[in-house]
Amino acid sequence: MDPRLLVGLVLVAGSTVGVWALVEALDDTTEVLVAPTTVTAGTRVTLDDLRVESVRLGGLADGYLAPADVPGGGLVVTRTVREGELVPAASVAEGDTAGTATVVVPTRGPLARGTAPGAVVDVWAAGELERGVFEPPVVLVAGAEVAAVLDGDGMVAGDGPSVELLIPRAKTAALLEALASGDAIDLVPSPAVASSAG
């Protein structure tokens, strides 16, 4: 073999390795997890429920969930993660620390605009004194989070769609009692959320 050819091959191989090493050294991207759809508090997610993306975060990388951070049994989301959002490490836990319960509430008519998974609403209730006569409405649950909006022909019958709500466990008994008593219940967008959005 011609020594010049051998030297040339060595130089080409060395150049290739050098370029690869340089690219690796300059690549500061980190693999993190992204929510492909909106995930509400109380939902358990596994690695298959999330999307892996490589992004440049620098020193902020530790604040977001990486594939290696998700155990086989998954993690529980403790606050809503919006569609397309990087999953903050602080928004998940191994156990259900959210202290929430899920209740399906039938509605009496069309929902307010923006009532979708992740939205925050206040649950107003009015007890019926006699047929067609109700007590003044009061806020039964403030700051309930919408987990899902179900079709009107779902398990709970009503004139409008049913809404699956995440509420504080301490409010569960009061809401279930209102539902069992046939109280008039309406969902109103939370004023605090509406004002912050505006």
Side-chain angles (χ1 to χ4, degrees):
M1 180 178 292
D2 189 338
R4 291 173 297 180
L5 177 59
L6 184 58
V7 171
L9 291 175
V10 171
L11 290 175
V12 170
S15 175
T16 301
V17 172
V19 170
W20 176 82
L22 178 62
V23 170
E24 285 294 307
L26 294 176
D27 183 12
D28 59 351
T29 59
T30 304
E31 284 193 341
V32 294
L33 296 172
V34 177
T37 59
T38 297
V39 185
T40 54
T43 304
R44 180 171 290 276
V45 294
T46 64
L47 199 55
D48 293 336
D49 298 320
L50 304 170
R51 187 174 71 242
V52 180
E53 288 193 7
S54 295
V55 295
R56 286 186 171 87
L57 294 173
L60 300 177
D62 291 341
Y64 294 93
L65 199 66
D69 298 332
V70 183
L75 294 168
V76 176
V77 177
T78 57
R79 74 155 182 82
T80 295
V81 181
R82 303 286 178 178
E83 178 180 354
E85 181 183 353
L86 303 182
V87 182
S91 70
V92 294
E94 292 200 23
D96 184 2
T97 59
T100 58
T102 303
V103 179
V104 176
V105 176
T107 60
R108 301 187 297 161
L111 297 173
R113 185 185 309 170
T115 306
V120 179
V121 297
D122 294 334
V123 182
W124 288 75
E128 188 172 19
L129 297 174
E130 56 183 272
R131 185 174 181 82
V133 179
F134 292 86
E135 298 175 331
V138 295
V139 177
L140 191 60
V141 182
E145 184 174 336
V146 177
V149 177
L150 311 175
D151 292 334
D153 57 356
M155 295 177 60
V156 181
D159 295 329
S162 296
V163 179
E164 186 177 319
L165 296 176
L166 293 170
I167 66 171
R169 292 189 184 278
K171 297 289 187 178
T172 305
L175 180 53
L176 292 178
E177 182 179 354
L179 290 170
S181 301
D183 293 355
I185 295 179
D186 291 288
L187 306 180
V188 180
S190 175
V193 174
S195 61
S196 65

